[in-house]
Amino acid sequence: MLFRDHKHTTMKTNTPAHRLYKSRKWGFIMIFFTYLFAIMVGVLTFYRTDPAQPILLRLFCADFVATVFVWLIGAIFRNSSVYDPYWSVAPPVIFTIMAIRWEAFDIPSILLLVAVWYWGIRLTINWAITFKNLKTQDWRYDKYKNQFPRIWQLVNFTGINLMPTLIVFLAMIPGIYLMQLSAEPTFFTYIGFLVCIGAATLQLIADRQIHAFRRNNPGKVCNAGVWSISRHPNYVGEIAMWWGVFIMLISVGGNEYLWTGTGALVNTLLFVFISIPLMEKRQLQNKPEYAIYRKKTGMLFPKIKQ
């Protein structure tokens, strides 16, 4: 996604346009309509795609076009963070549309919808809490723009917009097949559902704890609550969420669908080898005490005391 370079912007302060960029309310309104139209564009693309084509291809084409639309709006406003809610908005919408289209209201499908909507609403609310305005964007995007100024447009579209869309789509594939099967639930279907609910709840707890900690301890390393046993409990939840969906499919579809776990695996690798190292490098630079916290606390799971 493109973003505004605040150091080189030509926008004058105290102008109506500048005030809109700094307005949190205006930012919410703009992003709401961006996603409303993105959904409409995606749905239109799906229904205009040849029905003879595989369903995964049709869904991905719709997801891709919606992503391009969101990217374009982000480019217009010079703010890559316009894409940030896409990760949590797209899956509930896609699964709901598919459930209605296929009349998939069997128990596994309903459990999937409940889990994904719970996860999506929680994650979107957390985004809303941290959202400031259209003038502010994620620090990582600033880093990438400064690091790759000549190919920023390419990095912005492929790395910041398209790659997350592709990863989440891959992670959704087990849920798409689950809805098509219209199968009876098994014991492990409920286990998978509980993994999803537990994962989203862990994220909810982690986010509430770190927000409270930062209010009371600005500039300090959060080592309270679940953050005392994992350096990234919110990422643990995100990883577990999609493994839970995979478990739900395997519980009714069997080994035939083992390949669909690729999405959850790629999602896991994304956090372990990209998101976490990038976040920890920044923490070590800004907070020297993070090195001590890192030695005492496991990256994802509690360290085994010897």
Side-chain angles (χ1 to χ4, degrees), residues 231-232 235-236 239 243 264-280 294 299-301:
R231 301 199 302 271
H232 304 279
Y235 289 166
V236 173
I239 290 170
W243 283 113
L265 177 61
V266 172
N267 182 60
T268 302
L269 296 177
L270 169 70
F271 283 105
V272 173
F273 293 105
I274 298 179
S275 297
I276 290 177
L278 186 63
M279 181 67 70
E280 297 211 328
R294 191 180 184 186
M299 181 176 72
L300 294 175
F301 304 106

Side-chain angles (χ1 to χ4, degrees), residues 182-199:
S182 297
E184 290 296 321
T186 68
F187 172 77
F188 284 101
T189 306
Y190 294 105
I191 293 296
F193 172 72
L194 291 177
V195 168
C196 293
I197 295 299

Side-chain angles (χ1 to χ4, degrees), residues 3-173:
F3 73 61
R4 170 175 303 282
D5 185 342
H6 301 298
K7 293 182 179 179
H8 299 91
T9 181
T10 58
M11 183 180 292
K12 297 180 179 180
T13 59
N14 296 323
T15 63
H18 184 267
R19 288 195 292 271
L20 284 177
Y21 267 91
K22 294 183 66 176
S23 169
R24 192 166 185 260
K25 180 180 179 181
W26 160 249
F28 277 129
I29 293 173
M30 189 281 295
I31 289 178
F32 171 79
F33 282 104
T34 294
Y35 280 83
L36 178 62
F37 284 110
I39 292 170
M40 294 171 62
V41 169
V43 171
L44 180 62
T45 300
F46 176 80
Y47 282 102
R48 293 298 296 270
T49 306
D50 185 359
Q53 296 298 322
I55 188 66
L56 290 181
L57 177 60
R58 296 178 65 197
L59 284 173
F60 181 72
C61 287
D63 203 9
F64 176 82
V65 172
T67 298
V68 172
F69 181 84
V70 173
W71 168 74
L72 286 174
I73 299 301
I76 292 172
F77 285 95
R78 300 180 182 179
N79 191 316
S80 298
S81 284
V82 170
Y83 177 84
D84 288 350
Y86 197 94
W87 183 287
S88 57
V89 170
V93 171
I94 292 174
F95 280 134
T96 300
I97 292 174
M98 290 301 96
I100 295 173
R101 175 180 172 81
W102 293 329
E103 297 183 356
F105 299 116
D106 53 281
I107 292 178
S109 296
I110 292 174
L111 292 177
L112 174 66
L113 287 173
V114 170
V116 172
W117 272 100
Y118 174 49
W119 163 85
I121 290 173
R122 187 222 63 81
L123 191 54
T124 304
I125 289 176
N126 186 64
W127 163 82
I129 291 173
T130 58
F131 176 77
K132 295 181 179 179
N133 50 50
L134 288 175
K135 191 178 179 182
T136 306
Q137 71 169 1
D138 193 296
W139 61 270
R140 286 166 290 194
Y141 307 157
D142 291 338
K143 171 183 171 63
Y144 293 142
K145 181 175 185 291
N146 293 330
Q147 189 174 354
F148 307 103
R150 294 185 178 181
I151 58 170
W152 165 240
Q153 295 280 7
L154 179 63
V155 173
N156 178 37
F157 177 68
T158 58
I160 297 175
N161 288 253
L162 187 57
M163 186 180 73
T165 290
L166 177 60
I167 291 174
V168 174
F169 184 82
L170 290 174
M172 289 174 56
I173 290 177

